Amino acid sequence: MPFIRKISLLIILVIFGVKANSQDMTLSRVCENGNNNILTWIHPSSFCDNFISYAIYFREYKPSSPDPYALLTEIFTDPTTTYTHINANTTFGKKYEYKITLNYLCGGIPKTLDSKEKIADLIPPDPTLIDSISVDPITNVVYISWFPNKTPDFSDYSVYNSGIEIKITRSLSYTDASNNPKSKSISYEITGYDSCGNKNSFGQNQHSTIFLTSSIDTCQSSVGLSWTHYKGWDSISKYYIFRSINSSAYILIDSLNGKSNSYKD
């Protein structure tokens, strides 16, 4: 029965792959916190036998001519997943590189698992780009939506209104009911934090709402409209003009090219 034998072989390979992946020792991040560096790691989901210790090693970061690692500390409590290197950043310009070794027994024989090396993460995440902002003419609230940030260790989005942080969230949208879009054009920007609290700079991707004003000419029985341009996109193709009479549903009455910002009805 060759078909059954193929299935059995596939199952064996999958199980073996899962077991191998569970043996990784990962130093997930090193975060600078004032004078200190905070190390966080992920220990294997399973290892052979008995836990002995975590050994944390460090050395001055010299990419071209690295020194040997020195033992910083050894931790004999499991599961411990964090350690603070006190006063690691008190010497100006000096950076440290770290690795962690898991020491354990396998059938009575001492074994070790090493993590990969890491230095303190001081790199902010990539910019977060706004998709669009829009105003609901009925509820008078502003809807902001943005594209997901693909930075590997990204953590939280921060919503700014006219340069003031108003919300920290992990969602991809936010509804602002605290400002009146009928009184002025309102500007928004989304920045972000990574897992170490690094934040990308402000002022890279602002979007501003359209602010519409009107005037009535009773002699000509006309309404004059003027508006501020939507800011944030590279170009505007068209503006569409809708009209509501006596609170009825809005109906499309005209469209203009994206360079226009006035209209007479």
Side-chain angles (χ1 to χ4, degrees), residues 48-52 102-113:
C48 184
D49 198 351
N50 295 321
F51 169 83
I52 299 175
L102 168 63
N103 301 304
Y104 63 102
L105 291 175
C106 187
I109 301 173
K111 299 284 186 178
T112 62
L113 281 176

Side-chain angles (χ1 to χ4, degrees), residues 181-182 184-185 208-215 223-231 236-242 253-265:
K182 293 183 179 179
K184 61 180 180 179
S185 174
S208 301
T209 61
I210 299 171
F211 174 49
L212 174 65
T213 58
S214 62
S215 60
V223 176
L225 305 176
S226 62
W227 57 89
T228 62
H229 287 290
Y230 183 94
K231 295 180 181 179
I236 304 295
S237 176
K238 285 186 177 182
Y239 287 108
Y240 294 89
I241 300 175
F242 294 79
I253 61 171
D254 210 341
S255 64
L256 305 171
N257 69 66
K259 295 182 179 180
S260 302
N261 68 335
S262 63
Y263 182 78
K264 180 177 288 188
D265 180 17

Side-chain angles (χ1 to χ4, degrees), residues 114-153:
D114 289 333
S115 72
K116 293 182 179 180
E117 297 89 351
K118 274 190 179 294
I119 62 173
D121 178 10
L122 301 176
I123 301 174
D126 295 332
T128 300
L129 300 180
I130 294 177
D131 175 26
S132 62
I133 54 177
S134 57
V135 176
D136 188 323
I138 306 300
T139 62
N140 207 33
V141 300
V142 182
Y143 297 98
I144 310 106
S145 63
W146 52 90
F147 297 103
N149 194 299
K150 301 297 185 180
T151 304
D153 65 336

Side-chain angles (χ1 to χ4, degrees), residues 39 55-59 69-73 97-101 103 114:
L39 286 69
I56 300 177
Y57 295 89
F58 78 124
R59 65 185 176 189
Y69 274 102
L71 179 65
L72 176 61
T73 190
E97 186 174 25
Y98 301 88
K99 73 172 183 177
I100 297 180
T101 296
N103 301 304
D114 289 333

Side-chain angles (χ1 to χ4, degrees), residues 132-190:
S132 62
I133 54 177
S134 57
V135 176
D136 188 323
I138 306 300
T139 62
N140 207 33
V141 300
V142 182
Y143 297 98
I144 310 106
S145 63
W146 52 90
F147 297 103
N149 194 299
K150 301 297 185 180
T151 304
D153 65 336
F154 191 83
S155 178
D156 298 288
Y157 299 99
S158 178
V159 183
Y160 278 80
N161 165 228
S162 301
I164 300 173
E165 188 175 60
I166 58 173
K167 181 69 175 179
I168 296 177
T169 178
R170 293 192 174 183
S171 300
L172 294 176
S173 63
Y174 177 67
T175 301
D176 181 16
S178 61
N179 290 279
N180 182 8
K182 293 183 179 179
S183 64
K184 61 180 180 179
S185 174
I186 305 173
S187 297
Y188 295 89
E189 183 167 358
I190 311 297

Side-chain angles (χ1 to χ4, degrees), residues 234-254:
D234 292 337
S235 62
I236 304 295
S237 176
K238 285 186 177 182
Y239 287 108
Y240 294 89
I241 300 175
F242 294 79
R243 179 178 60 205
S244 168
I245 299 176
N246 294 329
S247 300
S248 62
Y250 280 93
I251 298 174
L252 177 66
I253 61 171
D254 210 341

